[in-house]
């Protein structure tokens, strides 16, 4: 039984090369790779629909007294711990597995867990289910990165990585508006249930449209198809040895730490932004969701253009644009949390924040590490970065929840939250991320 399950998820055998002239092979290759690209882009957006539904539901959970800020922080931390550990192990596995089946299964199981969360209202069951959900959520990123490297060549990588990376902004923007509307019209329980139902349907569609490696479909590998071979020779090395090279590289660890601090700020705004705007600046839940959805739409343009900008204007190098985006990211975060309440300041800061966040998470969250690591070990590179990134996200949830919950005053029976220390923590993390990214300025591909 176990062997059959293992065999089902292992990548398939290479098939004989498809018969036909070059034009026929090119037509088949391009058709399937666009199906793959569409599947990973929309599929990863659905992963984020589930993930960020919790951010919208935090406010009604607090308002109804189901959970307090510290309990919400613990829930978020447990999710990111299981997600980070899962992303580390599952990204290594993605280099060896059938990415189509692995990706679709993760989304399906995450969807089922989310529906179950809509049928409980106690802390312990919620935190256990959310932690399990984190593990299944980790099935998403690794297969996407592996698919990009299997179906798109070296010269295309930056551009298509950036386009794919808009998926998380699409999913987040949809969640902030749709889930907020569902929760407002019905209840927080329906927010979980409807997100799970929609994503269950999506996982089934992905299973039928996505594909594994080109070779399993009788097609040439992308390097041969595009005549764009890597500058280094990897064929004489095993996947395991190449993965170990990734683990040993100091530059990967430094990029991971930079991403860690970037993710502290990112998930502070995404996880606590609605609560911050409603409690500290007087927004309604729908109004706060609107501001944060603008951030996500700006992030789409940041992710869409960051790979193209670095490929076209910086000779495929990410260091200079990463520094520029890092400065703007820290400044926008500071304006959001330190400036007095103003709709236009909040909107402007979130536009800049979203644009730069979309680019930085693309660079620091994977692309810069993928650039300097062996092509056949990109899953390992993503696993390393993911482990550190979501370690930062997990720490942020606990620390932010504690800082917010420990500074409460009661006026006329109403709890008032002080976000001052939490805000300092969020801005400081953005600055540290920028400094660390500059420490790998000259990192290059290494055999």
């Amino acid at each position: 039984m176990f062997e059959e399950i293992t065999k089902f998820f292992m990548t398939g055998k290479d098939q004989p090369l498809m018969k036909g002239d070059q034009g026929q092979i090119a037509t088949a290759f391009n058709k399937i790779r666009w199906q793959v690209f569409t599947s990973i882009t929309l599929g990863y957006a659905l992963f984020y629909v589930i993930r960020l539904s919790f951010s919208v539901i935090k406010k009604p959970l607090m308002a109804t007294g189901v959970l307090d800020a510290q309990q919400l922080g613990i829930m978020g931390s447990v999710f990111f711990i299981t997600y980070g550990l899962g992303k580390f192990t599952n990204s290594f596995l993605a280099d060896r597995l059938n990415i189509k089946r692995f990706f679709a299964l993760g989304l399906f199981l995450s969807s089922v867990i989310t529906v179950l969360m809509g049928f409980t209202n106690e802390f312990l069951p919620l935190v256990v289910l959310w932690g399990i959900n984190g593990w299944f959520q980790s099935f998403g990123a690794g297969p996407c990165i592996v698919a990009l490297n299997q179906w798109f060549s070296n010269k295309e990588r930056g551009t298509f990585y950036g386009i794919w990376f808009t998926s998380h902004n699409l999913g987040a923007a949809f969640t902030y508006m749709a889930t907020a509307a569902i929760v407002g019209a019905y209840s927080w329980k329906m927010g979980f249930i409807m997100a799970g139902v929609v994503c269950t349907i999506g996982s089934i569609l992905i299973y039928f449209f996505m594909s594994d490696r080109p070779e399993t479909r009788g097609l040439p590998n992308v390097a041969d198809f595009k005549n764009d071979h890597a500058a280094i020779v990897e064929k004489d090395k095993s996947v395991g040895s190449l993965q170990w090279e990734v683990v040993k590289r100091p530059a990967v660890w430094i990029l991971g730490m930079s991403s860690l601090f970037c993710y502290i700020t990112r998930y502070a705004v995404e996880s606590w932004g609605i609560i911050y705007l409603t409690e500290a600046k007087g927004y309604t839940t729908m109004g706060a969701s609107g501001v944060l959805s603008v951030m996500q739409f700006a992030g789409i343009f940041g992710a869409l253009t960051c790979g193209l900008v670095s490929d076209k204007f910086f000779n495929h190098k990410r260091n200079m644009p990463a520094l520029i985006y890092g400065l703007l990211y820290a400044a926008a975060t500071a304006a959001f949390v330190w400036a007095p309440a103003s709709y236009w300041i909040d909107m402007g800061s979130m536009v800049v924040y979203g644009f730069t966040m979309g680019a930085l998470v693309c660079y620091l969250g994977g692309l810069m590490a993928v650039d300097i690591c062996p092509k056949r070990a990109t899953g390992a590179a993503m696993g390393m970065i993911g482990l550190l990134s979501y370690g930062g996200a997990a720490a942020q949830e606990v620390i932010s929840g504690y800082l917010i919950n420990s500074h409460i005053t009661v006026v006329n029976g109403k709890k008032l939250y002080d976000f001052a220390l939490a805000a300092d923590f969020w801005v400081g993390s953005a600055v540290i991320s920028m400094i660390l990214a500059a420490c790998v300025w000259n990192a290059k591909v290494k055999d």
Side-chain angles (χ1 to χ4, degrees):
M1 179 68 176
F2 179 76
E3 291 182 0
E4 292 178 357
I5 294 174
T6 302
K7 185 178 180 181
F8 178 79
F9 284 105
M10 293 301 292
T11 186
K13 294 181 179 180
D14 293 359
Q15 298 299 312
L17 191 63
M18 179 185 295
K19 294 181 180 180
D21 59 32
Q22 192 64 30
Q24 291 173 319
I25 293 174
T27 298
F29 191 101
N30 287 324
K31 177 183 176 182
I32 296 173
R33 81 166 181 164
W34 282 112
Q35 288 178 345
V36 170
F37 187 73
T38 302
S39 295
I40 63 174
T41 302
L42 296 181
Y44 204 58
L46 293 177
F47 273 98
Y48 265 81
V49 168
I50 290 174
R51 192 181 310 180
L52 289 185
S53 62
F54 180 58
S55 300
V56 177
I57 293 168
K58 276 183 175 180
K59 174 65 176 177
L61 285 172
M62 288 178 62
T64 56
V66 176
L67 300 175
D68 61 30
Q70 193 158 11
Q71 288 174 319
L72 290 169
I74 292 171
M75 273 189 71
S77 180
V78 169
F79 174 91
F80 286 126
I81 289 170
T82 57
Y83 180 82
L85 292 172
K87 190 172 184 180
F88 177 72
T89 57
N90 292 323
S91 293
F92 272 75
L93 289 173
D95 286 325
R96 306 169 184 269
L97 296 180
N98 183 314
I99 53 175
K100 161 191 167 177
R101 294 171 179 172
F102 197 52
F103 187 66
L105 178 69
L107 181 57
F108 177 79
L109 294 176
S110 180
S111 303
V112 172
I113 295 297
T114 303
V115 171
L116 293 177
M117 292 181 69
F119 291 95
T120 184
N121 59 358
E122 296 181 4
F123 173 64
L124 185 58
L126 283 170
V127 75
V128 170
L129 287 171
W130 197 230
I132 296 171
N133 211 334
W135 180 265
F136 291 128
Q137 281 273 312
S138 71
F139 285 34
C144 291
I145 299 301
V146 173
L148 285 167
N149 279 279
Q150 289 172 347
W151 289 92
F152 294 89
S153 68
N154 298 317
K155 293 178 181 178
E156 299 171 310
R157 182 192 302 144
T159 299
F160 282 97
Y161 188 105
I163 296 171
W164 164 76
F165 212 79
T166 63
S167 58
H168 82 273
N169 300 104
L170 290 169
F174 176 83
T175 302
Y176 282 132
M177 300 308 295
T179 303
I182 291 169
V183 170
Y186 299 100
S187 67
W188 63 266
K189 291 177 176 287
M190 285 302 297
F192 279 131
I193 293 170
M194 290 305 299
V197 169
V198 169
C199 294
T200 299
I201 297 170
S203 69
I204 296 170
L205 294 175
I206 286 167
Y207 182 81
F208 287 103
F209 280 95
M210 194 171 168
S211 295
D212 195 15
R213 298 178 298 111
E215 295 90 334
T216 64
R217 299 293 300 268
L219 297 167
N221 66 62
V222 69
D224 292 334
F225 178 70
K226 287 289 187 177
N227 193 26
D228 183 11
H229 294 272
I232 60 175
V233 178
E234 303 171 355
K235 291 183 179 180
D236 60 337
K237 296 184 179 182
S238 68
V239 172
S241 65
L242 293 170
Q243 289 178 331
W244 180 238
E245 288 182 12
V246 172
V247 174
K248 292 190 299 181
R249 284 210 71 178
V252 175
W253 285 93
I254 295 171
L255 283 170
M257 291 300 297
S258 177
S259 184
L260 181 153
F261 283 100
C262 179
Y263 271 54
I264 286 176
T265 306
R266 173 194 177 188
Y267 276 103
V269 174
E270 292 192 352
S271 293
W272 301 99
I274 290 178
I275 294 175
Y276 172 74
L277 288 172
T278 54
E279 296 292 336
K281 295 195 173 184
Y283 283 78
T284 64
T285 299
M286 280 301 296
S289 294
V291 172
L292 293 184
S293 66
V294 167
M295 167 191 77
Q296 297 297 342
F297 284 116
I300 291 172
F301 291 99
L304 270 175
T305 58
C306 69
L308 184 64
V309 166
S310 59
D311 283 347
K312 297 295 184 182
F313 301 107
F314 294 94
N315 193 29
H316 309 289
K317 296 179 181 179
R318 328 294 177 189
N319 45 21
M320 178 58 76
L323 177 62
I324 295 170
Y325 286 132
L327 284 167
L328 294 172
Y329 183 65
T333 305
F336 179 64
V337 297
W338 288 344
S342 165
Y343 176 77
W344 293 111
I345 291 177
D346 294 333
M347 289 291 286
S349 63
M350 282 295 94
V351 168
V352 176
Y353 171 91
F355 183 84
T356 54
M357 182 269 290
L360 283 175
V361 173
C362 185
Y363 287 154
L364 302 176
L367 185 55
M368 291 175 75
V370 168
D371 282 344
I372 63 172
C373 291
K375 192 176 183 66
R376 288 164 58 212
T378 51
M382 286 300 296
M384 290 285 296
I385 299 296
L387 179 66
L388 292 167
S389 299
Y390 286 96
Q396 175 279 132
E397 287 288 328
V398 173
I399 295 170
S400 295
Y402 171 77
L403 292 175
I404 295 168
N405 208 58
S406 62
H407 293 79
I408 298 174
T409 56
V410 179
V411 178
N412 297 325
K414 181 181 179 181
K415 291 182 178 180
L416 300 178
Y417 296 88
D418 183 353
F419 289 85
L421 290 178
D424 295 344
F425 172 53
W426 302 343
V427 175
S429 296
V431 173
I432 294 172
S433 173
M434 175 188 66
I435 294 171
L436 286 170
C439 293
V440 290
W441 191 268
N442 294 318
K444 294 180 176 64
V445 177
K446 181 180 179 181
D447 185 3

